Amino acid sequence: MGVQIPSKIVTRAAFLAVRPETEETIGEADFVAVYGHRRRAAVIDVGQLTLPSFVDDAIMHDDGDLVALTTENLGREDFSELAEAQLFARWSEQVGLSQREIAAKLGVHQGTVSRRLALLLLGPEATAALEDQQLNPTEAASLAGKLPYGPPRGWQKNPDPEQSSRQRLTDQSSALALILGKNMSAGRAAELVVAEKASRAKAAAEGLSIVDPKVAFGSKQAAHRLYADDAVRAAAAAGNLVTAIDPDQGTLAYYASSVLNPEEVEAEAQQAARHAADNQRRTCCARVAVSTPSKDALTDVLITQRLLNLAAVGTPAWELASSWLSEAGRGTRSAKELMEAAAETTDRGERQELAWLMALATYELHATDAERWGPPEKAYLRLLHARGDYTPTAWEQAALDTIAD
């Protein structure tokens, strides 16, 4: 039946009067289409030489070209998140609107504008993964927020000084590999890449070699690992100190290259070290407990606990949760009051907060009581690191090192 709705075009002079920065882009064209780009593409595809159009330079008044472009595209089912990002960027960079003003003008949530714009700070590899649907838009925006790449954009509130560097592109690609290869969250992957980068810089500054302990020491790697500061200093003085990158934290792990039989730690010292580790974890928990994660993040925690066959352990867990709330200055609700609230409340937010407290307490009690640490403790320490920037004690790191990957 052909094209029923004509496209809208303006003269070159009218367009450049408003958008002078596009002169190189439009070349020598006498007219510029501001509405009907898809119809024009369809006409070209079928070999048709003409397209119904009308010329009206008045369209350019009050950013009418962008209004027309937005009307034509925003809300289309096939309009990708990346295309939305480019549209929002035009409103920012050509009209000078803030993210809040863009949201108000187009009737979308400001958070959506912010997340979409972040997609424009992805490198070629991450952009391709987004377009191929290997990387979902939420994770892509998180990756770009943590490790932005590209020239500073006018809509960025605080451009990263390193975002234009090749090293940043490498860092973003490394994080992407962890996301796609190990099913790691974008935030966690970015943190791991940044931590590893800092660790490598620290090792270089200290003149230490970085080794793969599995390759360097084989099955005896645990005997070479150093946890106490005194042991690290002694190995350094003897010229036997090397390092490795901890795969879970991205931090430096120290090894003695030729010390195969370190002295056994007495049982009393081990018990004291474990008690100190318990105290340090619980101090961190008092901060983390009052910072309830998002619904999706909490769901991941609860699913992980379910797969690890962990369940809340009744009154002791609620007592622990109560102590954390008190320590964090969030009231003096007793264990009994928390249990009653969990059974009776219909408030979605409170239910989420209580579920988070119980998940955290479940992990902590299991870590405290377990004779030998395993996958639950590894998951727990990763959670504390991600939520509370927690660094394992020497005793905890030794316990984690016995857990198979």
Side-chain angles (χ1 to χ4, degrees), residues 304-371:
T304 299
Q305 287 196 339
R306 180 66 177 176
L307 294 175
L308 292 172
N309 198 31
L310 295 184
V313 288
T315 302
W318 289 116
E319 290 175 344
L320 191 56
S322 174
S323 71
W324 288 337
L325 292 178
S326 178
E327 186 174 340
R330 290 284 295 271
T332 56
R333 299 176 76 182
S334 67
K336 181 180 179 181
E337 289 172 330
L338 290 175
M339 284 190 287
E340 290 174 348
E344 298 172 2
T345 185
T346 58
D347 181 85
R348 182 172 298 178
E350 185 177 20
R351 288 170 61 86
Q352 188 167 322
E353 291 173 359
L354 291 169
W356 169 236
L357 285 170
M358 191 50 30
L360 202 59
T362 296
Y363 265 139
E364 176 56 33
L365 288 176
H366 194 276
T368 302
D369 297 338
E371 292 185 9

Side-chain angles (χ1 to χ4, degrees), residues 46-187:
V46 299
Q48 188 170 318
L49 299 179
T50 60
L51 171 69
S53 306
F54 67 84
V55 181
D56 183 4
D57 286 347
I59 293 172
M60 298 302 297
H61 177 67
D62 196 23
D63 304 306
D65 58 326
L66 285 182
V67 172
L69 183 65
T70 302
T71 302
E72 182 178 21
N73 291 291
L74 199 60
R76 278 172 35 206
E77 290 186 4
D78 62 343
F79 198 54
S80 71
E81 290 82 3
L82 197 57
E84 282 188 11
Q86 292 163 345
L87 178 60
F88 294 156
R90 292 184 68 172
W91 277 104
S92 171
E93 295 168 353
Q94 294 183 9
V95 183
L97 298 187
S98 67
Q99 293 185 27
R100 184 183 300 276
E101 290 168 336
I102 293 171
K105 187 173 186 67
L106 304 185
V108 296
H109 194 279
Q110 184 180 348
T112 299
V113 175
S114 179
R115 287 190 296 273
R116 294 294 185 265
L117 287 173
L119 301 179
L120 300 179
L121 296 173
L122 295 172
E125 188 177 357
T127 299
L130 173 64
E131 292 176 332
D132 293 343
Q133 298 183 341
Q134 294 177 287
L135 183 65
N136 70 58
T138 300
E139 288 291 273
S142 178
L143 174 61
K146 296 283 188 179
L147 295 172
Y149 171 71
R153 307 293 289 261
W155 40 263
Q156 283 184 268
K157 295 181 180 178
N158 297 295
D160 189 324
E162 298 182 4
Q163 72 182 54
S164 298
S165 67
R166 291 192 62 81
Q167 181 59 51
R168 174 52 56 81
L169 180 60
T170 299
D171 292 344
Q172 193 182 95
S173 295
S174 297
L176 178 66
L178 292 173
I179 296 168
L180 300 182
K182 295 190 175 183
N183 197 30
M184 193 176 291
S185 72

Side-chain angles (χ1 to χ4, degrees), residues 279-332:
N279 288 338
Q280 181 171 300
R281 282 197 317 275
R282 295 191 180 195
T283 298
C284 178
C285 285
R287 300 194 313 271
V288 174
V290 294
S291 177
T292 308
S294 67
K295 180 180 178 181
D296 289 343
L298 177 57
T299 298
D300 287 342
V301 172
L302 297 176
I303 288 174
T304 299
Q305 287 196 339
R306 180 66 177 176
L307 294 175
L308 292 172
N309 198 31
L310 295 184
V313 288
T315 302
W318 289 116
E319 290 175 344
L320 191 56
S322 174
S323 71
W324 288 337
L325 292 178
S326 178
E327 186 174 340
R330 290 284 295 271
T332 56

Side-chain angles (χ1 to χ4, degrees), residues 222-228 231-233 235-236 240-242 253-256 259 262:
H224 288 259
R225 180 71 186 268
L226 304 175
Y227 299 100
V232 172
R233 284 191 288 268
N240 294 330
L241 186 64
V242 295
Y254 292 95
Y255 291 81
V259 179

Side-chain angles (χ1 to χ4, degrees), residues 355-405:
W356 169 236
L357 285 170
M358 191 50 30
L360 202 59
T362 296
Y363 265 139
E364 176 56 33
L365 288 176
H366 194 276
T368 302
D369 297 338
E371 292 185 9
R372 182 180 177 86
W373 276 18
E377 285 66 44
K378 197 165 197 174
Y380 179 38
L381 268 291
R382 284 176 175 172
L383 179 65
L384 288 185
H385 177 73
R387 300 286 304 175
D389 198 24
Y390 184 78
T391 299
T393 66
W395 183 90
E396 289 169 329
Q397 191 59 63
L400 291 171
D401 287 343
T402 65
I403 304 170
D405 291 329

